[in-house]
Amino acid sequence: MTTVADLLEEIERAPQGPEVGAFFDFDGTLIAGYSAGVFYQDRIRRFELTGSELIRTLTAVLEMGVRGADVSKLMEIAVANWAGHREQEVRALFDRLFYERISGMVYPEARELVRAHARAGHTVVLASSATRYQLAALAEDLKVEHVLCSEVELTRGYFTGYLRGPVLWGPAKAAAVREFAAASGVDLERSFAYANGDEDVPFLESVGEPRALNPAAELQKVARERGWPSVDLGQRGRPGLVDVVRTGAALAGLGAAGGVGIAVGLLTGSRQRGANVAASIGPDVALALAGVRLQVTGEEHLWSHRPAVFIFNHQSSIDVAVIGALVRRDLTGVAKIEASRDPRFAPIGYVTDVVYVDRSNSKQARAALKPAVDRLKGGTSIAIAPEGTRSPTPRLGRFKKGAFHLAMQARVPIVPIVIRNAGDVMWRGSLVIRPGTVDVEVLEPISTRGWKVSELDQRVAGVRELFVQAIEDWEVH
């Protein structure tokens, strides 16, 4: 049985350099499901899909399923609807859909395969029957420069409603790969290709190292007959009943811990003692019930300098439990005001007396920092995500300065906590936690003594670079 680890080892053993290509299909291969489905669901929710278009679309889908027709008719129907729309408008639409939905459908294992090829210096290419607009956000996120896709006709920045050239489906995709390789100096005999669909056999045949990833029935049969490595990554987009039950139990455990903390605080007259009780048991219980394990390096840096401003990269709602399980006591946080209405966060937020900030009101946000500084000076550490919000993908967002101002004013160190893969167990838009291991690296505390406001941009950039390097080092290993 071939595994993702086997595929990664094969990439490491393969020849290095840009003469080796790595061609990835998109729908069903890199993501669990189909981007066109997300597009149509969005239009249905917004009441933008007409009855006649729905009938034509369903007829095209039926012809594909019953008669084995290619995707061209379906593409023509979809693109016809773009007629008269500006390119910028459609690009913004698919950027939004990627941010809201598609980013959470990307297989973490597929990301690792792309990264492995990039580290080997291979020429990485997305090859899909989808349009450039469906692929652009993912290509940017994966840092993939080359895209082979179905092109759409434009006139003066507006869509005409017609395709420009063939739909890259079946033999047409294979032909596009051969043409690209000839123009780019890629040796196809030494190159890799990854795909899931029955129609992708010609595409996979065009390279010397074909890989069936999440293969459909016919492709799985072909792969078995020809000895092609085959790996099924599962259904990322569909949490199972066990995952739902585990998540419910985790939330209940977190809420119960919050209740215990409130009781202890009332009985002892000390809100801090109640918060410490809740923080010492709640996150551990929640993570255990959810089936999430922490693998931590640099744990000694959590305790060497207290109080401190603990900063962390933020991709998932589970980050709150992760940080709580790490820091454990004498901790509060700074969070956006919307989090106060989140039932997953509110109980612990109440017990730990979190400082809520209205990001839409910059004056109020600045004023809210004063009680946070007072708490730091009183011995309570602060946890804050300098990105300001959860990122839809593992890529690090821009760091805001609030956490750094806090540390400077209170004259306490900054302790960076780098979280690698919390988004794999609970992606940004998900309500369900999946079992798994979250890797954490706690970096050495950074003194803020002697820092000046005039040099803060440079200081923030330097700390952000520490996160970037830590994440990249993980990818190498």
mmCIF file of all heavy atoms in Angstrom, residues 307-325:
data_model
loop_
_atom_site.group_PDB
_atom_site.id
_atom_site.type_symbol
_atom_site.label_atom_id
_atom_site.label_comp_id
_atom_site.label_asym_id
_atom_site.label_seq_id
_atom_site.Cartn_x
_atom_site.Cartn_y
_atom_site.Cartn_z
ATOM 1 N N PRO A 307 5.699 37.832 33.722
ATOM 2 C CA PRO A 307 4.713 37.784 32.644
ATOM 3 C C PRO A 307 5.345 38.105 31.296
ATOM 4 O O PRO A 307 6.459 38.624 31.220
ATOM 5 C CB PRO A 307 3.711 38.867 33.061
ATOM 6 C CG PRO A 307 4.551 39.859 33.811
ATOM 7 C CD PRO A 307 5.570 39.044 34.552
ATOM 8 N N ALA A 308 4.590 37.800 30.241
ATOM 9 C CA ALA A 308 5.068 38.042 28.888
ATOM 10 C C ALA A 308 3.876 38.227 27.968
ATOM 11 O O ALA A 308 2.732 37.913 28.325
ATOM 12 C CB ALA A 308 5.935 36.870 28.407
ATOM 13 N N VAL A 309 4.155 38.735 26.785
ATOM 14 C CA VAL A 309 3.156 38.763 25.718
ATOM 15 C C VAL A 309 3.440 37.567 24.817
ATOM 16 O O VAL A 309 4.472 37.522 24.142
ATOM 17 C CB VAL A 309 3.213 40.078 24.912
ATOM 18 C CG1 VAL A 309 2.253 40.004 23.722
ATOM 19 C CG2 VAL A 309 2.859 41.259 25.803
ATOM 20 N N PHE A 310 2.548 36.592 24.855
ATOM 21 C CA PHE A 310 2.686 35.403 24.016
ATOM 22 C C PHE A 310 1.975 35.666 22.688
ATOM 23 O O PHE A 310 0.766 35.928 22.673
ATOM 24 C CB PHE A 310 2.066 34.181 24.698
ATOM 25 C CG PHE A 310 2.812 33.739 25.930
ATOM 26 C CD1 PHE A 310 2.467 34.223 27.187
ATOM 27 C CD2 PHE A 310 3.863 32.837 25.820
ATOM 28 C CE1 PHE A 310 3.160 33.819 28.321
ATOM 29 C CE2 PHE A 310 4.568 32.424 26.948
ATOM 30 C CZ PHE A 310 4.215 32.917 28.200
ATOM 31 N N ILE A 311 2.713 35.646 21.596
ATOM 32 C CA ILE A 311 2.106 35.879 20.284
ATOM 33 C C ILE A 311 2.117 34.580 19.495
ATOM 34 O O ILE A 311 3.035 33.762 19.620
ATOM 35 C CB ILE A 311 2.826 37.001 19.505
ATOM 36 C CG1 ILE A 311 4.291 36.653 19.226
ATOM 37 C CG2 ILE A 311 2.734 38.323 20.262
ATOM 38 C CD1 ILE A 311 4.982 37.636 18.300
ATOM 39 N N PHE A 312 1.083 34.371 18.680
ATOM 40 C CA PHE A 312 0.956 33.118 17.929
ATOM 41 C C PHE A 312 0.323 33.372 16.572
ATOM 42 O O PHE A 312 -0.468 34.304 16.403
ATOM 43 C CB PHE A 312 0.127 32.097 18.714
ATOM 44 C CG PHE A 312 -1.286 32.544 19.032
ATOM 45 C CD1 PHE A 312 -2.359 32.149 18.243
ATOM 46 C CD2 PHE A 312 -1.537 33.375 20.132
ATOM 47 C CE1 PHE A 312 -3.652 32.559 18.545
ATOM 48 C CE2 PHE A 312 -2.836 33.793 20.435
ATOM 49 C CZ PHE A 312 -3.890 33.383 19.640
ATOM 50 N N ASN A 313 0.706 32.554 15.596
ATOM 51 C CA ASN A 313 0.050 32.625 14.284
ATOM 52 C C ASN A 313 -1.306 31.943 14.388
ATOM 53 O O ASN A 313 -1.472 30.927 15.061
ATOM 54 C CB ASN A 313 0.914 31.980 13.200
ATOM 55 C CG ASN A 313 1.333 30.561 13.539
ATOM 56 O OD1 ASN A 313 1.808 30.290 14.639
ATOM 57 N ND2 ASN A 313 1.150 29.642 12.601
ATOM 58 N N HIS A 314 -2.294 32.491 13.693
ATOM 59 C CA HIS A 314 -3.703 32.150 13.953
ATOM 60 C C HIS A 314 -4.390 31.669 12.688
ATOM 61 O O HIS A 314 -4.603 32.453 11.764
ATOM 62 C CB HIS A 314 -4.399 33.393 14.508
ATOM 63 C CG HIS A 314 -5.736 33.145 15.125
ATOM 64 N ND1 HIS A 314 -6.151 31.912 15.585
ATOM 65 C CD2 HIS A 314 -6.773 33.997 15.367
ATOM 66 C CE1 HIS A 314 -7.363 32.014 16.084
ATOM 67 N NE2 HIS A 314 -7.766 33.266 15.955
ATOM 68 N N GLN A 315 -4.726 30.379 12.659
ATOM 69 C CA GLN A 315 -5.437 29.838 11.512
ATOM 70 C C GLN A 315 -6.728 29.132 11.894
ATOM 71 O O GLN A 315 -7.569 28.863 11.042
ATOM 72 C CB GLN A 315 -4.544 28.857 10.739
ATOM 73 C CG GLN A 315 -5.098 28.521 9.356
ATOM 74 C CD GLN A 315 -4.400 27.353 8.713
ATOM 75 O OE1 GLN A 315 -3.341 26.923 9.170
ATOM 76 N NE2 GLN A 315 -4.983 26.807 7.663
ATOM 77 N N SER A 316 -6.912 28.824 13.172
ATOM 78 C CA SER A 316 -8.008 27.944 13.561
ATOM 79 C C SER A 316 -8.587 28.361 14.905
ATOM 80 O O SER A 316 -7.894 28.916 15.768
ATOM 81 C CB SER A 316 -7.472 26.502 13.651
ATOM 82 O OG SER A 316 -8.428 25.637 14.233
ATOM 83 N N SER A 317 -9.867 28.045 15.106
ATOM 84 C CA SER A 317 -10.494 28.293 16.404
ATOM 85 C C SER A 317 -9.864 27.450 17.500
ATOM 86 O O SER A 317 -9.926 27.798 18.685
ATOM 87 C CB SER A 317 -11.997 27.981 16.324
ATOM 88 O OG SER A 317 -12.652 28.878 15.460
ATOM 89 N N ILE A 318 -9.241 26.351 17.129
ATOM 90 C CA ILE A 318 -8.628 25.476 18.128
ATOM 91 C C ILE A 318 -7.352 26.089 18.709
ATOM 92 O O ILE A 318 -6.837 25.617 19.737
ATOM 93 C CB ILE A 318 -8.353 24.083 17.522
ATOM 94 C CG1 ILE A 318 -8.359 23.034 18.640
ATOM 95 C CG2 ILE A 318 -7.026 24.051 16.761
ATOM 96 C CD1 ILE A 318 -8.377 21.615 18.143
ATOM 97 N N ASP A 319 -6.843 27.150 18.082
ATOM 98 C CA ASP A 319 -5.644 27.819 18.607
ATOM 99 C C ASP A 319 -5.838 28.267 20.056
ATOM 100 O O ASP A 319 -4.889 28.273 20.846
ATOM 101 C CB ASP A 319 -5.295 29.041 17.751
ATOM 102 C CG ASP A 319 -4.847 28.668 16.344
ATOM 103 O OD1 ASP A 319 -4.430 27.514 16.150
ATOM 104 O OD2 ASP A 319 -4.932 29.520 15.456
ATOM 105 N N VAL A 320 -7.065 28.653 20.408
ATOM 106 C CA VAL A 320 -7.342 29.125 21.766
ATOM 107 C C VAL A 320 -7.050 28.015 22.773
ATOM 108 O O VAL A 320 -6.407 28.236 23.805
ATOM 109 C CB VAL A 320 -8.807 29.595 21.880
ATOM 110 C CG1 VAL A 320 -9.138 29.955 23.326
ATOM 111 C CG2 VAL A 320 -9.060 30.781 20.965
ATOM 112 N N ALA A 321 -7.527 26.805 22.475
ATOM 113 C CA ALA A 321 -7.275 25.671 23.367
ATOM 114 C C ALA A 321 -5.792 25.318 23.391
ATOM 115 O O ALA A 321 -5.245 24.954 24.442
ATOM 116 C CB ALA A 321 -8.100 24.465 22.937
ATOM 117 N N VAL A 322 -5.131 25.423 22.237
ATOM 118 C CA VAL A 322 -3.700 25.115 22.160
ATOM 119 C C VAL A 322 -2.909 26.068 23.053
ATOM 120 O O VAL A 322 -2.058 25.637 23.852
ATOM 121 C CB VAL A 322 -3.206 25.192 20.701
ATOM 122 C CG1 VAL A 322 -1.679 25.118 20.645
ATOM 123 C CG2 VAL A 322 -3.821 24.072 19.870
ATOM 124 N N ILE A 323 -3.172 27.360 22.929
ATOM 125 C CA ILE A 323 -2.442 28.352 23.731
ATOM 126 C C ILE A 323 -2.745 28.155 25.214
ATOM 127 O O ILE A 323 -1.851 28.235 26.071
ATOM 128 C CB ILE A 323 -2.802 29.782 23.291
ATOM 129 C CG1 ILE A 323 -2.344 30.024 21.842
ATOM 130 C CG2 ILE A 323 -2.181 30.807 24.224
ATOM 131 C CD1 ILE A 323 -0.851 29.859 21.630
ATOM 132 N N GLY A 324 -3.995 27.881 25.553
ATOM 133 C CA GLY A 324 -4.354 27.640 26.952
ATOM 134 C C GLY A 324 -3.626 26.447 27.531
ATOM 135 O O GLY A 324 -3.154 26.478 28.670
ATOM 136 N N ALA A 325 -3.522 25.377 26.737
ATOM 137 C CA ALA A 325 -2.844 24.167 27.203
ATOM 138 C C ALA A 325 -1.350 24.398 27.387
ATOM 139 O O ALA A 325 -0.708 23.729 28.205
ATOM 140 C CB ALA A 325 -3.076 23.021 26.217
#
